[in-house]
C-alpha cells in the first residue's frame, strides 16, 4: 500500500519537475523581464481558454455530446456583453473603480443569463433528439453554429466592432520594471475563481457528486432515481454560461467582437481538451495553461510558428497518451 | 450444383436488373445531359454551373465515403481539396510551366501528398475514438489556411496563384466551329474534367460495392461487432479515409484547372467549403454516393439564382425589410434547412426516395402473395 503511495507521489514529482523545466526553457532565449510579461499574458490567455474548454469538456464527459455550437455560444456571450457596454457607456467611461466593476458584473450577469437560456433552448430543441449518435450530434451542433452566427449578423450587423474596456481596467502596473497589464490580472483572477467554484461544486456538493457519477456511469445514476435529462439540461446551460463568460472576457482582452470569433476559439478549446483529456475539469485548466503559455512564448520567439505549436503539442500528446493528460471526471 | 445462398440470389437479381431498371436509365440520361450541356446551353454561366455541379458532386461523393460509408466525420476534406488545387498550381505555374507532363505530375503529386497526410492524420487521431478525427482534422485544416496565408513567398499568400493551362486546355485555344458552337479550350477542359470525374465516380462505386466496402459499412453500423468478427477496424478505416482524401485532392486539382486560380479563400477555407459539402451531403443523403449530385445541383443552382430571388423580393415586396435582411443572410436559411433535414430526413433526398420505393415494392410483393 505504502509502496503504491510513494510511487504515485514520485510520478507526480516528476510531472511537476518536467513542467517546471519546460516553463523555464524559454528563459534561454528570452530576457527575464519580457519572460515574466509573456508568462502573465500566457496565463491570462490560458485562463480565458479554460473558460470555454471546461464547458466543452464537462458536456462531453457527462452527456457524451461533442458540442460544436460552443463557439457560437461564446460569440453570443461576447455580443451580449458588447450591448451592455454600449447601453451603460457612462459607467464604462467613468473614472471610478466601483462603476467599472459594476458594469463588468452587469455584463457578466446579462451574458451568462442570456446564453444559458440559449443553451437550454439548444439542448431541449436540438441536441436532445440526437443523444447517443456522435455523428449526428456533430452535424446538428454544426448546423446550430451556422444559425447562431448568422443570427448575430442579423441582430448586430456583419462587421467587426470595437469592444470598449472599462477605464480603470486599462493601463499597466509597473512592478520593478515588469509591465503587468491590469486586465490580464483580472482574467487570471476570473479563471482561478471559476476553477475553484467548479471544483467546490463538483467535489463538495451532492449535485457535483451526481454529475461526477454521471460521467463514470450514466445508466447507474438513472437507476438510482435521478432525473438524468434534467441534469443534462442544467449542465448544458452551465457550460453555455461558462462559454459566455469566456466570450465576454476574451472580447475585452482582444478589444474586438466579430461574428466568427467563436470558431477561432472553439479550435483552441478542442486542442485544450484533447491535451487535457475530454471530461476532466483539471485537465482543461492544465491544457489551457499549456496552450496559452506556449502560444505566447513561441509568438515572441518565432512569430510565424505560433499557430502551429499548439497543434504540434496536441499531436505529441495524442501519440504518447491518446486519452489526454487527465482521466475523465477528475 | 449446390443451392444458391440468399445473398447470392439477391446479388444475381441485382446484376440482372443492373441495366434494365428505371434508375439506370435515369443515370444514363443525366450523363447524356451533362455531355450535351456545352451544345444545348453554350452560355458560360450554364457551362460553369454544370461543371461545378459535377466537381462538387464528386467532392461530396468522396466525402460520403468517409461520412456515409465509414461513419467518420472529417473537417479536413476542404484541406485535401485545397492541397490538390495548390499542387496543380505549383507545377503548372509557380515552380513549373504549363505543359501536359506538368499537369499529370501536378495531379499525381497532389494524390501522393494526400496519401501521406491522410495516413498520418488517421494514425494520430483514430486510436482513441472516431470523434477525435473531427477535432484533429478541424485543427489541421485551420493550420493549413494560416500556413497558406503566412508563407506568401511559397503559396502566393492571399492573392493566390493564377494558372494558365497547356495546349488544347488553354483559354486561347480554338478548334473552329462544330455543330454550331466554337470548340474552345474551355470546352476541351469541360470534357476532360467530365470524363475524369466519370472514371473516378465509377471507381468509387466499385470501391463501396467491393468486399472491403461492405466491411466498412459493417464497421459504421456496429464497430464492436466488426471487431468481434475479427476485422481490424483501424486498418479498414485508414484505407477508406485515404481513398476519400486522395479523391478529394484529385478533384481539387481538376477544380483548379477549371477556375484558373487558387487562393486560400476559394480552395482551403474550412467553413465555406465544408459548409457547402456538409449541406450537399445531408440534403442529397448520406451513404448513397448519388446523393452528391442532388445536393450539389440543389445548392449550386440556388446559390446562383439567389440574387435574382432577392431582386424579385425587393421589387414585389418593398416594405418587408425583415424578409430582405433574412434573404441577404442566405446562410441562415441554409443552416435552418440543414438542422431540419438532419432531424426530419436524416437519409436525405436519395435515401428517402430509396426507402419509399423499397417500401412500395415490399407492399406489392405482399399483395401478390
Amino acid at each position: 500500500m505504502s509502496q503504491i503511495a510513494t510511487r504515485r507521489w514520485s510520478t507526480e514529482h516528476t510531472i511537476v519537475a518536467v513542467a517546471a523545466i519546460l516553463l523555464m526553457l524559454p528563459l534561454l532565449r528570452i530576457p527575464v523581464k519580457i519572460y515574466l510579461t509573456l508568462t502573465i499574458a500566457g496565463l491570462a490567455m490560458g485562463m480565458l481558454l479554460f473558460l470555454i474548454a471546461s464547458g466543452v469538456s464537462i458536456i462531453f464527459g457527462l452527456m457524451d455530446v461533442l458540442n460544436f455550437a460552443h463557439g457560437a455560444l461564446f460569440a453570443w456571450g461576447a455580443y451580449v456583453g458588447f450591448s451592455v457596454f454600449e447601453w451603460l457607456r457612462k459607467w464604462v467611461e467613468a473614472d471610478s473603480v466601483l462603476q467599472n466593476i459594476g458594469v463588468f458584473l452587469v455584463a457578466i450577469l446579462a451574458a451568462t443569463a442570456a446564453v444559458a437560456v440559449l443553451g437550454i433552448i439548444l439542448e431541449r430543441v436540438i441536441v436532445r433528439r440526437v443523444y447517443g449518435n456522435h455523428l449526428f450530434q456533430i452535424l446538428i451542433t454544426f448546423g446550430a453554429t451556422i444559425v447562431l452566427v448568422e443570427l448575430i449578423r442579423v441582430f448586430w450587423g456583419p462587421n467587426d466592432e470595437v469592444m470598449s474596456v472599462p477605464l480603470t481596467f486599462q493601463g499597466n502596473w509597473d512592478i520593478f520594471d515588469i509591465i503587468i497589464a491590469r486586465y490580464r490580472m483580472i482574467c487570471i483572477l476570473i479563471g482561478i475563481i471559476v476553477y475553484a467554484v467548479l471544483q467546490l461544486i463538483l467535489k463538495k456538493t451532492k449535485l457535483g457528486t451526481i454529475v461526477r457519477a454521471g460521467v463514470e456511469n450514466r445508466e447507474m445514476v438513472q437507476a438510482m432515481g435521478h432525473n438524468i435529462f434534467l441534469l443534462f439540461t442544467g449542465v448544458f446551460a452551465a457550460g453555455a454560461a461558462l462559454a459566455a463568460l469566456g466570450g465576454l472576457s476574451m472580447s475585452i482582452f482582444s478589444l474586438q467582437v466579430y461574428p466568427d470569433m467563436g470558431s477561432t476559439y472553439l479550435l483552441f478549446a478542442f486542442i485544450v481538451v484533447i491535451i487535457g483529456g475530454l471530461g476532466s475539469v483539471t485537465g482543461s485548466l492544465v491544457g489551457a495553461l499549456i496552450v496559452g503559455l506556449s502560444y505566447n512564448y513561441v509568438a515572441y520567439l518565432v512569430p510565424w510558428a505560433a499557430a502551429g505549436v499548439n497543434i504540434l503539442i496536441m499531436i505529441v500528446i495524442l501519440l504518447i497518451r491518446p486519452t489526454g493528460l487527465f482521466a475523465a471526471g477528475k | 450444383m449446390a443451392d444458391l445462398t440468399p445473398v447470392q440470389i439477391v446479388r444475381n437479381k441485382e446484376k440482372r436488373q443492373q441495366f434494365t431498371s428505371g434508375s439506370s436509365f435515369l443515370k444514363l440520361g443525366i450523363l447524356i445531359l451533362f455531355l450535351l450541356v456545352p451544345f444545348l446551353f453554350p452560355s458560360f454561366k450554364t457551362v460553369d454551373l454544370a461543371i461545378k455541379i459535377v466537381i462538387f458532386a464528386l467532392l461530396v461523393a468522396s466525402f460520403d465515403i468517409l461520412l456515409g460509408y465509414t461513419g467518420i466525420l472529417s473537417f479536413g476534406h476542404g484541406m485535401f481539396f485545397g492541397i490538390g488545387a495548390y499542387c496543380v498550381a505549383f507545377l503548372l505555374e509557380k515552380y513549373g510551366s504549363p505543359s501536359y507532363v506538368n499537369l499529370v505530375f501536378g495531379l499525381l503529386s497532389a494524390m501522393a501528398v494526400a496519401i501521406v497526410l491522410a495516413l498520418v492524420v488517421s494514425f494520430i487521431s483514430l486510436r482513441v475514438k472516431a470523434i477525435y478525427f473531427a477535432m484533429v482534422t478541424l485543427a489541421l485544416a485551420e493550420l493549413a489556411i494560416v500556413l497558406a496565408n503566412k508563407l506568401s513567398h511559397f503559396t502566393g499568400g492571399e492573392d493566390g496563384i493564377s494558372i494558365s493551362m497547356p495546349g488544347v486546355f488553354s483559354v486561347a485555344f480554338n478548334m473552329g466551329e462544330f455543330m454550331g458552337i466554337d470548340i474552345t479550350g474551355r470546352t476541351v477542359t469541360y470534357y476532360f474534367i467530365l470524363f475524369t470525374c466519370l472514371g473516378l465516380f465509377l471507381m468509387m462505386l466499385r470501391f463501396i460495392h467491393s468486399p472491403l466496402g461492405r466491411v466498412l459499412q459493417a464497421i459504421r453500423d456496429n464497430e464492436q461487432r466488426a471487431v468481434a468478427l475479427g476485422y481490424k477496424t483501424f486498418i479498414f478505416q485508414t484505407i477508406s479515409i485515404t481513398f476519400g482524401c486522395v479523391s478529394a485532392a484529385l478533384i481539387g486539382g481538376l477544380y483548379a484547372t477549371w477556375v484558373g486560380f487558387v487562393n486560400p479563400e476559394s480552395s482551403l477555407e474550412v467553413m465555406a467549403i465544408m459548409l457547402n459539402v456538409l449541406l450537399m451531403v445531408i440534403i442529397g443523403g448520406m451513404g448513397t454516393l448519388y446523393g452528391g449530385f442532388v445536393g450539389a445541383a440543389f445548392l449550386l443552382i440556388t446559390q446562383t439564382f439567389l440574387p435574382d430571388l432577392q431582386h424579385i423580393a425587393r421589387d414585389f415586396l418593398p416594405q418587408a425589410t425583415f424578409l430582405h435582411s433574412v434573404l441577404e443572410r442566405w446562410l441562415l436559411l441554409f443552416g435552418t434547412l440543414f438542422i431540419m433535414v438532419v432531424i426530419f430526413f436524416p437519409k436525405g433526398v436519395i435515401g428517402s426516395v430509396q426507402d419509399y420505393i423499397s417500401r412500395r415494392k415490399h407492399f406489392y410483393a405482399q399483395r401478390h402473395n
Side-chain angles (χ1 to χ4, degrees):
Chain A
M1 195 60 199
S2 65
Q3 219 176 3
I4 295 171
T6 40
R7 205 165 62 206
R8 188 175 296 154
W9 191 233
S10 65
T11 33
E12 271 181 13
H13 266 283
T14 9
I15 290 173
V16 171
V18 169
I21 290 171
L22 283 177
L23 261 179
M24 292 297 151
L25 204 60
L27 268 176
L28 294 177
R29 298 285 305 278
I30 306 176
V32 179
K33 278 171 192 161
I34 298 175
Y35 171 77
L36 285 174
T37 310
L38 284 178
T39 307
I40 287 167
L43 285 177
M45 184 180 162
M47 285 301 185
L48 295 181
L49 290 180
F50 163 68
L51 291 179
I52 177 171
S54 56
V56 173
S57 191
I58 302 175
I59 289 174
F60 183 84
L62 181 71
M63 301 159 66
D64 205 21
V65 169
L66 188 61
N67 184 17
F68 266 69
H70 222 74
L73 295 172
F74 179 87
W76 265 83
Y79 268 91
V80 171
F82 171 74
S83 286
V84 170
F85 275 21
E86 290 286 296
W87 178 50
L88 294 172
R89 179 141 290 281
K90 269 193 188 147
W91 286 22
V92 176
E93 283 163 359
D95 191 12
S96 128
V97 181
L98 222 58
Q99 276 182 329
N100 284 167
I101 291 179
V103 73
F104 190 51
L105 287 180
V106 171
I108 287 177
L109 269 180
T112 48
V115 175
V117 171
L118 208 61
I120 290 172
I121 296 170
L122 202 63
E123 199 271 344
R124 284 279 157 125
V125 178
I126 293 178
V127 180
R128 178 156 292 190
R129 294 166 191 270
V130 286
Y131 278 135
N133 186 340
H134 279 149
L135 210 60
F136 275 72
Q137 282 163 7
I138 299 177
L139 289 175
I140 213 161
T141 49
F142 185 76
T145 305
I146 301 166
V147 172
L148 287 174
V149 171
E150 286 302 306
L151 282 177
I152 286 180
R153 291 202 170 104
V154 169
F155 289 141
W156 281 281
N159 302 323
D160 297 15
E161 305 273 358
V162 178
M163 186 82 183
S164 40
V165 184
L167 197 67
T168 48
F169 290 8
Q170 295 169 12
N172 305 308
W173 286 306
D174 191 342
I175 302 171
F176 300 115
D177 275 358
I178 301 159
I179 310 240
I180 300 170
R182 283 185 203 165
Y183 186 67
R184 287 180 184 162
M185 295 312 282
I186 296 175
C187 290
I188 296 175
L189 197 69
I190 292 173
I192 292 171
I193 292 172
V194 168
Y195 178 71
V197 170
L198 274 180
Q199 283 298 343
L200 268 180
I201 292 175
L202 283 174
K203 295 274 160 71
K204 299 286 177 192
T205 64
K206 194 180 172 205
L207 181 73
T209 317
I210 298 171
V211 170
R212 278 189 299 139
V215 171
E216 296 215 345
N217 192 335
R218 234 180 311 167
E219 281 86 7
M220 192 55 92
V221 172
Q222 228 166 344
M224 302 299 276
H226 297 289
N227 185 351
I228 196 102
F229 286 105
L230 198 63
L231 198 65
F232 282 1
T233 313
V235 167
F236 202 91
L242 279 178
L245 179 58
L248 172 63
S249 319
M250 185 59 92
S251 63
I252 301 175
F253 189 74
S254 59
L255 303 175
Q256 57 174 348
V257 286
Y258 53 97
D260 263 336
M261 63 190 292
S263 64
T264 318
Y265 292 106
L266 183 68
L267 197 72
F268 275 119
F270 282 159
I271 294 174
V272 166
V273 294
I274 289 177
I275 292 175
L278 268 168
S280 159
V281 174
T282 310
S284 299
L285 182 70
V286 174
L289 292 182
I290 290 175
V291 168
L293 287 172
S294 58
Y295 184 87
N296 275 282
Y297 293 146
V298 176
Y300 177 78
L301 289 173
V302 206
W304 60 269
V309 66
N310 293 315
I311 292 173
L312 198 71
I313 294 175
M314 176 186 81
I315 290 172
V316 170
I317 295 279
L318 276 173
L319 285 176
I320 55 177
R321 202 179 153 89
T323 48
L325 294 174
F326 288 80
K330 291 289 181 303
Chain B
M1 200 177 96
D3 281 340
L4 291 171
T5 59
V7 174
Q8 280 172 324
I9 293 172
V10 173
R11 293 270 179 84
N12 285 345
K13 206 172 149 197
E14 272 179 6
K15 250 182 211 164
R16 271 202 307 280
Q17 288 186 340
Q18 202 170 15
F19 299 108
T20 53
S21 66
S23 67
S24 68
F25 286 121
L26 188 66
K27 288 165 199 163
L28 208 64
I30 289 171
L31 177 63
I32 291 171
L33 181 71
F34 274 114
L35 281 173
L36 290 180
V37 159
F39 295 95
L40 294 176
F41 313 100
S43 80
F44 175 72
K45 199 178 170 187
T46 334
V47 177
D48 187 54
L49 184 63
I51 201 68
K52 275 187 180 155
I53 288 176
V54 172
I55 288 173
F56 273 97
L58 260 288
L59 183 65
V60 171
S62 71
F63 185 67
D64 201 17
I65 288 177
L66 268 67
L67 182 69
Y69 287 93
T70 321
I72 287 171
L73 181 55
S74 159
F75 280 98
H77 221 64
M79 173 178 72
F80 285 101
F81 183 77
I83 284 173
Y86 267 98
C87 279
V88 169
F90 283 156
L91 275 170
L92 280 185
E93 197 68 41
K94 189 114 191 189
Y95 303 103
S97 53
S99 74
Y100 297 119
V101 182
N102 278 350
L103 178 62
V104 173
F105 267 113
L107 292 175
L108 285 181
S109 62
M111 290 161 77
V113 173
I115 288 176
V116 173
L117 199 61
L119 286 177
V120 170
V121 173
S122 38
F123 179 71
I124 292 170
S125 56
L126 276 183
R127 294 200 300 165
V128 198
K129 272 182 190 156
I131 53 160
Y132 273 68
F133 195 79
M135 294 194 277
V136 172
T137 48
L138 187 69
L140 285 178
E142 202 71 38
L143 178 68
I145 296 172
V146 172
L147 287 183
N149 275 323
K150 287 256 171 76
L151 304 175
S152 48
H153 54 94
F154 183 58
T155 60
E158 281 177 31
D159 299 332
I161 307 169
S162 298
I163 308 166
S164 35
M165 294 290 292
V168 293
F169 298 119
S170 68
V171 185
F173 176 77
N174 198 328
M175 210 168 69
E177 272 196 15
F178 177 69
M179 281 176 65
I181 64 149
D182 277 337
I183 305 292
T184 59
R186 299 301 272 177
T187 326
V188 179
T189 317
Y190 177 90
Y191 283 109
F192 169 67
I193 294 174
L194 189 63
F195 284 117
T196 319
C197 284
L198 181 67
L200 191 62
F201 192 69
L202 291 176
M203 261 174 71
M204 285 180 192
L205 281 178
R206 188 75 208 94
F207 181 80
I208 56 158
H209 288 302
S210 67
L212 182 96
R214 289 187 190 266
V215 175
L216 288 174
Q217 289 168 49
I219 295 171
R220 171 198 67 190
D221 291 338
N222 194 334
E223 184 166 352
Q224 280 170 346
R225 186 173 289 178
V227 173
L229 284 171
Y231 292 109
K232 295 209 169 18
T233 53
F234 176 75
I235 292 174
F236 282 94
Q237 284 170 332
T238 308
I239 292 172
S240 162
I241 287 167
T242 313
F243 182 70
C245 292
V246 168
S247 310
L250 183 61
I251 297 158
L254 294 176
Y255 181 73
T257 62
W258 178 256
V259 295
F261 70 94
V262 291
N263 65 359
E265 205 187 329
S266 73
S267 331
L268 275 171
E269 195 67 68
V270 187
M271 275 320 206
I273 291 187
M274 283 320 295
L275 182 65
N276 278 343
V277 168
L278 273 171
L279 271 169
M280 289 171 188
V281 76
I282 291 294
I283 290 170
M286 283 191 283
T288 55
L289 280 198
Y290 291 103
F293 286 92
V294 178
F298 171 76
L299 209 68
L300 288 172
I301 291 173
T302 324
Q303 281 176 0
T304 312
F305 293 106
L306 205 71
D308 299 336
L309 201 68
Q310 284 168 357
H311 283 303
I312 293 172
R314 218 162 270 148
D315 291 344
F316 283 91
L317 299 162
Q319 276 87 37
T321 42
F322 181 72
L323 184 73
H324 296 166
S325 60
V326 168
L327 271 181
E328 261 164 44
R329 304 252 63 89
W330 57 272
L331 265 180
L332 185 65
L333 301 177
F334 281 140
T336 319
L337 180 72
F338 182 86
I339 295 176
M340 299 292 234
V341 173
V342 171
I343 292 177
F344 297 111
F345 303 100
K347 287 179 177 165
V349 173
I350 296 266
S352 301
V353 169
Q354 276 175 351
D355 260 17
Y356 176 72
I357 290 174
S358 71
R359 255 208 317 271
R360 241 183 43 171
K361 264 187 195 159
H362 190 68
F363 178 70
Y364 281 117
Q366 271 187 337
R367 256 218 325 220
H368 281 294
N369 292 341

